[in-house]
Amino acid sequence: MKCLKLVKFKRLGKTITSNSRKILNDPIYGFITIPFDIIYDLIEHPYFQRLRRINQLGLSHLVYPGGLHNRFHHAIGAMHLMQHAIEVIRSKGHEITDEEAEAVTIAILLHDIGHGPFSHALEHSIVEGIHHEDISVMLMDALNVEFNGQLDLSISIFKNEYRKKFLHQLVSSQLDMDRLDYLKRDSFYSGVSEGVIGSDRIIKMLNVANDELVIEEKGIYSIENFIVARRFMYWQVYLHKTVVSAEFMLVKILQRAKELANNGTTLFCSPALQQFLYNHYTKQDFDADPTILKVFSKLDDFDILGAIKVWANNDDKVLSLLCTKIIDRKLFKIELQRSPYAANYITDLKNKVQTTYALDAEEVDYFVIQNHITNNAYNPTYDRINILFKNGEIMDIAEASDNLNIAALSSPVKKYFVCYPKEIVRN
């Protein structure tokens, strides 16, 4: 993203910087204007700049080489879409004050600020029981202190505590600006064209009824395409079987490193990674000690990847093998099916892995991984995408659509999988 020059002028003997002409050049939307001075200041903050070093798609680039964009790109794109949504809703007679517009824009800009490196892998290994949404709120609270309370309304909207509920839905719902950007952006960078959606059309069809976001009737086909595209993107990108294999291998790497650290083994780490690897932190610890959050804010993909490169030569056989396979892209074979795998099948796999690598019974669990994945393209029990008809009637998209696939997509699809080294030969 290319930035244009700031404008500076004198006021009462001080140099004042105006950000009103700051422009970013985005490959998806073209030129993006920063709408408020505080937005520029937040973007410049180290907490937000860290998102440049966190890949939006985790390890998906091991399947789709172009998928190397980061969460910084995505947050800026979602902010841009929010500006369009505000304009559209205002044009249809609904009040969004300037204060609310600034606040909801800040909320969407910072919605992913709590993501750690390889976020979901991190949440299942060295940082347990703390979700990135929790850390996002913590970081927003910390920023609010630095910005003298200017984020009060943004945090209220983000946490769905503000009286205008539709503002929260613009930030977090089944049709929020987050999803509208990441589907289009991830499709572009991965090259998976099935994920392309008409975000401009969808935003033009936005309206508000009974303090909830709705889509006008003539936008129903765009919403159908949006739901189908989301399903495709999950199966083809986010839950692609090879991506799933790689991400669970990463989970096992971090779990093994954590186990070794607990046993007193000295491992190469950056200072930030070392603190989380050699300590057990709960959400209560984050709340009680602000320095933990500051250390987390310095943790990014580079810490993890740098450690993995060194750990590939570690004396521990399990850690070394797993890291080498990730670095060299020798990913585990993965099998999927609709029902859990039989116990005797898993036992047979473990026996072969144990023999091949000369592992003990506990170590083999790092090389035979069982779990499941779920694809739920549209979940009306979470919150609904409502269609507003010309007669004022409001109906859920699954009921309003004449596309039978939409009703079918409301049911989650669950698949069980097992991963194991490719060199293990099955009978």
Side-chain angles (χ1 to χ4, degrees), residues 213-232:
L213 281 184
V214 294
I215 293 290
E216 294 169 355
E217 179 182 2
K218 55 190 175 181
I220 191 169
Y221 299 120
S222 297
I223 299 303
E224 290 176 352
N225 178 63
F226 165 79
I227 294 173
V228 172
R230 190 164 183 264
R231 182 182 179 88
F232 273 126

Side-chain angles (χ1 to χ4, degrees), residues 68-281:
L68 287 167
H69 56 300
N70 54 52
R71 293 195 178 274
F72 181 94
H73 297 147
H74 163 58
I76 296 295
M79 177 202 74
H80 173 70
L81 293 183
M82 183 65 79
Q83 294 308 297
H84 288 299
I86 291 169
E87 291 173 6
V88 167
I89 292 171
R90 280 174 164 174
S91 72
K92 295 177 181 178
H94 304 286
E95 182 188 39
I96 299 178
T97 66
D98 290 344
E99 182 185 14
E100 290 167 342
E102 180 181 276
V104 75
T105 303
I106 291 171
I108 195 65
L109 180 77
L110 301 180
H111 76 282
D112 270 352
I113 199 169
H115 269 286
F118 307 104
S119 182
H120 304 296
L122 194 78
E123 289 174 3
H124 291 89
S125 49
I126 64 174
V127 179
E128 298 181 24
I130 306 174
H131 298 290
H132 68 267
E133 291 92 347
D134 299 325
I135 298 178
S136 290
V137 173
M138 294 178 196
L139 288 171
M140 290 173 73
D141 286 337
L143 286 168
N144 197 28
V145 173
E146 289 190 36
F147 282 78
N148 301 314
Q150 293 183 74
L151 274 63
D152 282 343
L153 183 53
S154 301
I155 295 170
S156 179
I157 290 171
F158 185 82
K159 295 167 69 173
N160 199 20
E161 295 174 351
Y162 188 58
R163 58 185 178 82
K164 292 185 180 180
K165 301 302 181 184
F166 75 88
L167 292 176
H168 172 76
Q169 290 178 321
L170 287 170
V171 177
S172 179
S173 69
Q174 295 210 69
L175 202 60
D176 55 35
M177 300 306 105
D178 172 28
R179 295 187 185 194
L180 290 183
D181 180 80
Y182 78 60
L183 283 176
K184 194 165 186 174
R185 188 171 300 277
D186 296 348
S187 174
F188 176 85
Y189 281 99
S190 67
V192 177
S193 59
E194 289 85 354
V196 175
I197 59 169
S199 57
D200 289 344
R201 170 75 174 169
I202 291 172
I203 290 174
K204 289 292 185 185
M205 296 298 106
L206 282 177
N207 209 326
V208 176
N210 303 323
D211 195 32
E212 291 193 346
L213 281 184
V214 294
I215 293 290
E216 294 169 355
E217 179 182 2
K218 55 190 175 181
I220 191 169
Y221 299 120
S222 297
I223 299 303
E224 290 176 352
N225 178 63
F226 165 79
I227 294 173
V228 172
R230 190 164 183 264
R231 182 182 179 88
F232 273 126
M233 286 296 288
Y234 267 85
W235 283 136
Q236 293 191 41
V237 180
Y238 312 127
L239 296 177
H240 187 286
K241 64 178 186 176
T242 306
V243 174
V244 170
S245 173
E247 291 184 346
F248 273 85
M249 287 176 70
L250 178 58
V251 169
K252 291 298 182 181
I253 287 172
L254 294 174
Q255 287 177 346
R256 182 61 172 183
K258 186 77 170 178
E259 181 182 351
L260 293 172
N262 290 340
N263 292 332
T265 302
T266 301
L267 294 173
F268 170 86
C269 295
S270 68
L273 178 57
Q274 183 181 50
Q275 183 157 337
F276 283 93
L277 203 59
Y278 285 85
N279 293 280
H280 296 273
Y281 292 127

Side-chain angles (χ1 to χ4, degrees), residues 281-332:
Y281 292 127
T282 64
K283 186 175 184 300
Q284 289 71 30
D285 293 322
F286 272 81
D287 292 335
D289 185 356
T291 63
I292 297 174
L293 186 64
K294 286 186 177 295
V295 175
F296 182 89
S297 73
K298 299 183 183 301
L299 197 59
D300 55 50
D301 287 6
F302 294 0
D303 297 86
I304 305 297
L305 293 175
I308 288 174
K309 286 177 65 179
V310 177
W311 294 345
N313 297 313
N314 192 272
D315 291 337
D316 181 75
K317 181 193 299 184
V318 173
L319 185 62
S320 175
L321 277 170
L322 289 171
C323 291
T324 299
K325 287 180 179 296
I326 281 285
I327 293 296
D328 295 339
R329 201 190 175 279
K330 305 298 183 184
L331 306 177
F332 285 179

Side-chain angles (χ1 to χ4, degrees), residues 364-378:
V364 74
D365 287 334
Y366 285 100
F367 294 86
V368 179
I369 307 170
Q370 294 182 80
N371 214 305
H372 65 270
I373 52 177
T374 303
N375 188 349
N376 198 356
Y378 177 57

